[in-house]
Amino acid sequence: MAKVRESVMRIVFLLTALMSVLCVLFVCFFLFTNGLPAIAKIGPLDFLGGIKWKPESNEFGIFPMILGSLYVTCGAIILGVPIGILTAVFIAFFCPTRIKSAVEFVTSLMAGIPSIIYGFFGLTVLVPLINDVFGVRGKGILAASVLLAIMILPTIISISQQALEAVQRSYFEGAIALGASKERSVFFVVLPAAKSGVLASIVLGIGRAIGETMAVVMVAGNQAVIPESVFDGVRTMTTNIVLEMGYAADLHREALIATGVVLFVFILLINMLFSILRSKERVQ
Amino acid sequence: MQIDHLEITALIGPSGCGKSTLLKTINRMNDLIDGFHIKGKVELDGKNIYESFDVNQLRKRVGMVFQKPNPFPMSIYDNIVFGPKTHGVKAKDELDEIVEKSLKRAALFDRVKDKLHKPALALSGGEQQRLCIARAIAINPEVLLLDEPTSALDPIATEKIEETVLELKKRYTIIIVTHNMQQAKRISDKTAFFLLGKLTEFAPTEQIFNQPVDKATRAYIKGKFG
């Protein structure tokens, strides 16, 4: 009896485990069967390299959107990574124990705020601020980058902090014993030792930033043209889909799904990079 | 307790008797421990190390090698130049010279001269410990604290470290904590026996091992407890 129950449970566990695998496979199947024919129909070069997105005249070039995604992601990384890593260093080494749990609580809370709320914040605070300070419209690469930088902070902070705290204490002590200050020991010995974990946090942050949609759509301006300055409006791959999916039909609809394929490939590459970095960290 | 210049002083005693704590007091590594408390004083050249010294300057003069080899996860070369760079040496040729000199004194130079820029963690345990010694002497300390430097090593590596330590005695005042009484006997000039946090007996090594005054010392040396 017990044996029967055990094998039944094993099958249940197997099925539940298969569920997530199946979901991913279904998503892939749906994306590629709908997206790839569209890419073939438009022509891969015209699709990926075309700079004109005019669905009404059957022109589907997503190059401005690929560039847009890269621009806002780069901006978010440039602004968010230094702040995130320094915050992680602070929490791991310099934070007074009394306030450590409070700081950790706030950073984890940051991760839980819905992106639409960040979008509201961007729209009502960041955009007018940029407008005031620089005398430009406000919606554009800069606003989206700043907002994304804030949104990827919790990812970078928590993973970098884990990596820093996983570094053997003996490295830190060894540096201290050589007469190095605490700052020098942390930045020149512990931080380099945590390198792959910190890089992994950055890669995951890139993944978050490139896939973010709702917050970006509210502050980016969304013009489907190649931007010429950080104040120009920009449309990313994700916002391209969310803006037009509601009414698109036929090839237009398929072209949007194909945009999803390109995004998916980006995310896949980023995740592969992430797991490579993680396994490297474990080897060390 | 007086530690003399260019001598090797061994601190022995059963586990938990406070010998490592005392050692870590001498270069103020205990400062890192929360709630650490000190009574009494430690003087270097007649000056109280907890009052008259900048702690980083103190640690430059009093180097330390740990129980478990702890080279940094970087190249052999970078391991050694970390200390000198910390204390302001910048010129490349000067650093090169320090690396060579330190590795030679730690009897490691011939083994690693062709792979100075390879990762230090690829070395064997004994070599790693000698690298740590080289790293410690690269900042030219006056005193070297060795905290059970061979307890994580095999007998052959231990013998080599001991030879190195005897060689280092010509230049540095050495204080070594050891669990191995034979080691204390082999290399030290003076030996201090600790029991339950107290210095029980401190005398020339020969005297401690041949005619210990204290009963507990005698029992420990004969291996009756420990």
Side-chain angles (χ1 to χ4, degrees):
Chain A
M1 195 57 209
K3 221 172 184 184
V4 175
R5 197 190 299 162
E6 201 169 302
S7 49
V8 168
M9 287 317 287
R10 193 173 298 175
I11 291 167
V12 171
F13 290 141
L14 182 69
L15 286 178
T16 47
L18 278 178
M19 273 297 285
S20 53
V21 178
L22 279 177
C23 288
V24 173
L25 288 179
F26 276 134
V27 169
C28 287
F29 181 74
F30 156 80
L31 262 184
F32 286 102
T33 50
N34 283 282
L36 290 180
I39 295 178
K41 220 179 291 170
I42 300 162
L45 271 183
D46 287 336
F47 181 66
L48 294 171
I51 58 166
K52 280 208 176 109
W53 176 266
K54 285 187 177 147
E56 60 281 3
S57 52
N58 267 353
E59 281 181 285
F60 299 102
I62 63 162
F63 188 66
M65 276 72 96
I66 295 178
L67 218 52
S69 284
L70 294 180
Y71 281 163
V72 295
T73 304
C74 282
I77 294 301
I78 291 168
L79 297 171
V81 165
I83 298 175
I85 292 176
L86 291 178
T87 308
V89 167
F90 172 74
I91 296 175
F93 290 98
F94 296 96
C95 187
T97 21
R98 277 177 297 122
I99 61 166
K100 184 170 174 176
S101 56
V103 176
E104 282 176 322
F105 174 74
V106 171
T107 50
S108 65
L109 190 70
M110 268 179 93
I113 297 175
S115 55
I116 195 81
I117 306 290
Y118 280 109
F120 269 131
F121 169 76
L123 193 63
T124 56
V125 179
L126 285 179
V127 171
L129 188 71
I130 292 170
N131 188 324
D132 284 352
V133 174
F134 299 100
V136 291
R137 264 189 70 233
K139 287 189 184 182
I141 294 180
L142 185 64
S145 296
V146 172
L147 193 58
L148 284 173
I150 296 171
M151 294 177 71
I152 63 173
L153 273 182
T155 307
I156 293 177
I157 292 171
S158 69
I159 296 181
S160 296
Q161 185 197 341
Q162 279 170 27
L164 287 167
E165 285 176 348
V167 171
Q168 290 179 39
R169 179 90 183 150
S170 65
Y171 295 155
F172 177 69
E173 286 178 350
I176 290 284
L178 288 169
S181 64
K182 188 171 176 186
E183 292 77 16
R184 183 168 161 82
S185 305
V186 169
F187 283 101
F188 289 87
V189 175
V190 181
L191 193 58
K195 191 174 55 192
S196 52
V198 171
L199 279 176
S201 82
I202 296 171
V203 170
L204 205 62
I206 293 174
R208 287 272 154 84
I210 208 166
E212 179 48 44
T213 314
M214 290 322 293
V216 176
V217 81
M218 292 170 82
V219 299
N222 304 321
Q223 294 90 327
V225 288
I226 295 176
E228 277 159 5
S229 89
V230 290
F231 302 116
D232 281 358
V234 68
R235 184 186 287 198
T236 66
M237 288 185 278
T238 54
T239 52
N240 188 38
I241 299 171
V242 79
L243 285 165
E244 299 182 2
M245 204 64 193
Y247 61 86
D250 306 327
L251 187 59
H252 184 194
R253 187 183 131 89
E254 284 168 38
L256 291 177
I257 296 173
T259 311
V261 171
V262 177
L263 183 69
F264 188 74
V265 170
F266 270 92
I267 297 284
L268 215 61
L269 291 175
I270 289 165
N271 274 310
M272 274 162 61
L273 192 60
F274 175 74
S275 32
I276 290 169
L277 286 169
R278 263 284 148 105
S279 59
K280 226 173 136 188
E281 191 191 9
R282 234 167 268 137
V283 169
Q284 282 184 352
Chain B
M1 187 172 168
Q2 164 87 26
I3 309 282
D4 284 321
H5 191 54
L6 299 187
E7 275 194 352
I8 298 181
T9 305
L11 311 183
I12 62 170
S15 302
C17 68
K19 50 196 190 309
S20 281
T21 307
L22 175 66
L23 194 75
K24 285 180 179 163
T25 305
I26 302 174
N27 72 343
R28 292 183 57 178
M29 284 302 281
N30 285 331
D31 290 13
L32 298 179
I33 299 166
D34 280 342
F36 172 71
H37 223 54
I38 184 162
K39 274 193 210 153
K41 56 185 177 179
V42 180
E43 289 180 348
L44 178 64
D45 292 344
K47 282 193 280 182
N48 186 333
I49 62 164
Y50 278 82
E51 283 163 9
S52 320
F53 279 94
D54 168 65
V55 64
N56 294 330
Q57 284 308 311
L58 171 75
R59 290 179 187 143
K60 183 186 178 301
R61 293 178 61 183
V62 184
M64 180 164 202
V65 175
F66 295 81
Q67 183 170 358
K68 218 173 133 239
N70 62 345
F72 303 137
M74 43 179 99
S75 73
I76 294 169
Y77 184 92
D78 287 337
N79 260 279
I80 295 175
V81 299
F82 179 82
K85 276 184 173 170
T86 301
H87 298 286
V89 181
K90 285 199 185 85
K92 176 90 172 70
D93 46 346
E94 204 178 331
L95 290 170
D96 289 347
E97 200 187 305
I98 291 172
V99 169
E100 185 174 335
K101 197 173 71 187
S102 311
L103 284 171
K104 276 185 176 155
R105 287 189 185 167
L108 189 61
F109 187 70
D110 292 331
R111 297 290 293 275
V112 301
K113 62 178 178 226
D114 300 322
K115 48 180 182 180
L116 288 177
H117 295 282
K118 294 272 160 56
L121 293 177
L123 298 174
S124 73
E127 289 169 339
Q128 286 189 9
Q129 195 60 299
R130 272 184 281 158
L131 175 63
C132 290
I133 292 174
R135 188 175 71 186
I137 58 185
I139 51 174
N140 213 6
E142 295 152 46
V143 182
L144 262 186
L145 308 176
L146 310 177
D147 187 4
E148 296 184 44
T150 60
S151 66
L153 305 178
D154 63 58
I156 295 168
T158 299
E159 196 189 330
K160 285 194 183 136
I161 297 272
E162 284 180 10
E163 282 169 17
T164 310
V165 169
L166 282 170
E167 191 61 32
L168 290 172
K169 185 183 143 179
K170 292 177 192 159
R171 291 192 175 84
Y172 310 98
T173 303
I174 294 171
I175 307 173
I176 181 169
V177 165
T178 179
H179 258 118
N180 180 337
M181 273 178 289
Q182 296 311 312
Q183 183 169 63
K185 208 170 170 180
R186 281 193 297 266
I187 63 174
S188 70
D189 301 297
K190 294 212 178 94
T191 298
F193 174 66
F194 288 84
L195 187 63
L196 301 173
K198 289 218 167 71
L199 175 62
T200 308
E201 192 165 353
F202 178 45
T205 300
E206 222 163 278
Q207 191 186 321
I208 284 261
F209 280 93
N210 294 329
Q211 305 132 355
V213 178
D214 190 89
K215 239 166 56 187
T217 314
R218 195 175 316 140
Y220 183 73
I221 282 162
K222 286 192 174 148
K224 286 191 179 149
F225 69 98

